[in-house]
Every structure is written in C-alpha cells, then in structure tokens.
Amino acid sequence: MEQTAKHMGATLPPLLHTKPPKRVIVGNIVYYVCGILLSILFLFPLVYMLATSTKSESVFAADAGTLRMFLPDFAHLGTMFENYKTVLTEYDIWKYALNSLVYAGIVIVLNIIVNGLAGYVMAKMNFPGKRLFSFLIIFLIVVPVETSIIPLYLIVKTMLGLKGSLSILGVIFPATISVFNIFLFMQFFEGIPKEFEEAARMDGANTMDIFFRIILPLSKPIVATVAVFCFIGVWNDYVWPAMILPVTEPGEWPLLPIQAALTTIQSIEMITTGEVMASLVVTSIPIFIIYVVAQKYIVQGFGSAGLKM
C-alpha cells in the first residue's frame, strides 16, 4: 500500500498557480475603470442637487461655474438646512408627500392581491381561453399608457361620476390593475412546485387559503418587486392625478400628490434655486430608501421570474 501511494504521488503533477492571461487582466481593468467613470458621471447631478439645496441664492450665484458648485455650503452651517425648513413648512410639501404615501400604500396592497390572484390563476389553473388571455397580457404590456388616458378619464368622470373628494378613487383604482405585474406574478408562480398545493389540499385548504397562506409567503421576492414598482409609479405619477383630482381652496387639505407639489413650488415667483433643489431631495429620499431596503428581493424576483421567460 505504501509503495502504491508513493508511486501515485510520484506520477501526479504538482499544483500550479497559474496567472490569468494578460488580455483578461487588461479587460478587467478597462471594465472597472469604465464602470467607475460612468458611476461618477451619473452621480454628478445628484451631488449637484444635494450641494445646491444647502445654499442661498447669493452663494449659489457665487459658486456657479466653479468646482464649489458640487460642494455643500459649509461656510454657513447654521443656514445649511434653511431651504428644507422653508419647503416643509411654508410650502406644505409634507402634506403632498403624505398624500402620495397614502395613495401608494393602498395601491400596493390592492396590486398584490388583485394582480397576484390573476397571476396565480394564469399560472396554476387551466380554463378555456387561457392562451388568449396570456397573449393579451403580453400584448398589453407593450401598449403605451398614454393611449388609455382619455378613455379612462371619460370613464372616471362621465360614467362613474367621481368628483370632488371621490376623485381619489379615480387615482387608486386604475393603478390597481397592471398587466406587467400580472405577468411577473404569473412567471414566478409557475416556478413554485405543485407539491405544496397538493399537500395543502389534502389538509382541506381551499384555493384562497392556498394563495394567501402558502403561495404569497413563498413569493416574497416578487411581492417586494411589485411593491417597489407600485410605490415608484404612484410617487412619480403626475399627469393622471393632475387631470383627475380637483385643486382645493387655500386652507383646505390638498388632494394632489407630491409631484404636483413640485410643479406648484417651481412656479412660485420668488422661489430660489436652493429651495427647488431641496424639494427635489425631499421627493427623492423615499424612493432611495425603498430601493436600498428591497434591492435584494428585486434581484431575486427578476431572477426567478426571468427563468421562465
């Protein structure tokens, strides 16, 4: 045995620590350098926005055209956040932000339930016309939303008669249905093994129990992805709410979302550039937080849904 082991050890070549080829090293260097340069290029507007939001109009004018335009106003630390105070208190942007948060919360819950159920039916059940519905879902994804705004406006205002404070329903209900989210749910649910459903049915669970107690808990990545997309869509929506929601009287609680507040603030005659940038920062913070928190689930959701595409 010892002779055999020695013989085998003598015949095995030693492990070699080979270096990657030069073209691979050069390719990696070019890749990372280009990535860093592009990142810096895309970060410049954000850095400029943050820096300008801390400056008064006189400091902004003095720093224009110099590298100081990308640096906060550290020379006046006591007034760095004065623009934010003005935007939040005098222009009541927090009320519009709260409106958007409420709209987004309702739309997210309804989106997950309605589109999730639709995706579950399309993925797990067989019924007449299933292929036709699948084709319509894929076809409607590529249809621009702008083509349906006028018919939708006529339905909400004329047929349903949603006016005044009831116009809020005209903002929420159309955003509840999303063929793209149905498609994402459908693709993800197809990857869930049928054994989970069969075991649940043997225990006496019905279809709704299976969906809410088994399918949804197993679908956290796609649920988080849909929630993020819904939040961003509602938070950034301006055209449709501006068409459907009324302008309230001074002193009343506004019904318009945050993007409408930005338009109103930017049209004020005496507003400064720093206040405009401060309002943009305030509206960008929630999206940044949501994306950072749910980034892992978004990647998992797209990866899992994409396996079936």
Side-chain angles (χ1 to χ4, degrees):
M1 292 290 292
E2 293 180 358
Q3 294 179 354
T4 305
K6 290 179 180 180
H7 177 72
M8 291 179 62
T11 57
L12 290 175
L15 295 176
L16 299 177
H17 298 282
T18 57
K19 294 183 179 180
K22 289 185 178 181
R23 58 183 180 85
V24 175
I25 297 176
V26 173
N28 289 336
I29 293 175
V30 172
Y31 174 79
Y32 286 111
V33 169
C34 291
I36 293 172
L37 292 177
L38 286 175
S39 300
I40 294 174
L41 180 63
F42 287 123
L43 285 174
F44 265 145
L46 298 179
V47 173
Y48 174 77
M49 179 178 68
L50 287 170
T52 306
S53 67
T54 65
K55 300 177 181 179
S56 62
E57 195 68 14
S58 59
V59 176
F60 167 74
D63 292 345
T66 65
L67 291 178
R68 293 194 305 272
M69 62 190 298
F70 296 104
L71 298 175
D73 186 17
F74 293 116
H76 304 86
L77 294 177
T79 59
M80 277 186 66
F81 301 102
E82 193 66 27
N83 293 326
Y84 292 94
K85 181 180 178 181
T86 302
V87 166
L88 292 173
T89 57
E90 295 185 15
Y91 301 147
D92 291 336
I93 195 175
W94 67 272
K95 293 182 179 180
Y96 297 90
L98 185 59
N99 289 342
S100 290
L101 290 175
V102 172
Y103 298 156
I106 297 174
V107 168
I108 287 172
V109 174
L110 294 177
N111 235 282
I112 292 172
I113 295 175
V114 175
N115 297 324
L117 284 170
Y120 177 68
V121 170
M122 295 296 299
K124 297 296 186 179
M125 298 182 182
N126 294 319
F127 54 90
K130 180 177 179 178
R131 289 190 176 183
L132 176 61
F133 279 104
S134 300
F135 169 78
L136 289 176
I137 289 174
I138 297 175
F139 172 75
L140 290 174
I141 289 176
V142 300
V143 176
V145 179
E146 290 77 12
T147 59
S148 61
I149 284 184
I150 301 302
L152 190 61
Y153 177 84
L154 295 176
I155 291 174
V156 170
K157 285 296 186 180
T158 305
M159 295 180 61
L160 300 180
L162 298 179
K163 300 178 181 178
S165 58
L166 291 178
S167 299
I168 296 175
L169 300 178
V171 175
I172 294 173
F173 288 157
T176 300
I177 307 298
S178 171
V179 289
F180 181 70
N181 291 339
I182 293 175
F183 178 77
L184 289 180
F185 276 118
M186 180 177 66
Q187 295 296 320
F188 189 90
F189 291 159
E190 287 179 352
I192 298 178
K194 294 182 179 180
E195 287 75 13
F196 291 104
E197 299 177 72
E198 294 173 355
R201 292 191 186 279
M202 291 179 63
D203 292 337
N206 56 33
T207 302
M208 298 301 290
D209 289 334
I210 293 173
F211 176 76
F212 284 105
R213 296 184 180 182
I214 297 176
I215 300 298
L216 275 187
L218 291 173
S219 307
K220 291 181 181 179
I222 202 65
V223 169
T225 303
V226 170
V228 170
F229 283 166
C230 290
F231 180 85
I232 293 175
V234 174
W235 188 265
N236 291 335
D237 197 9
Y238 168 71
V239 176
W240 176 246
M243 291 177 60
I244 207 70
L245 292 174
V247 178
T248 55
E249 298 294 331
E252 296 181 353
W253 188 278
L255 300 178
L256 293 171
I258 187 68
Q259 298 302 324
L262 288 181
T263 305
T264 304
I265 289 173
Q266 293 177 17
S267 62
I268 297 176
E269 193 170 324
M270 298 300 293
I271 193 168
T272 64
T273 307
E275 292 171 352
V276 172
M277 294 300 174
S279 63
L280 293 175
V281 171
V282 170
T283 58
S284 301
I285 289 176
I287 295 179
F288 177 78
I289 295 175
I290 290 293
Y291 181 77
V292 169
V293 171
Q295 182 181 10
K296 178 180 69 174
Y297 296 105
I298 293 174
V299 175
Q300 293 178 359
F302 269 117
S304 302
L307 292 177
K308 293 288 183 178
M309 293 177 64

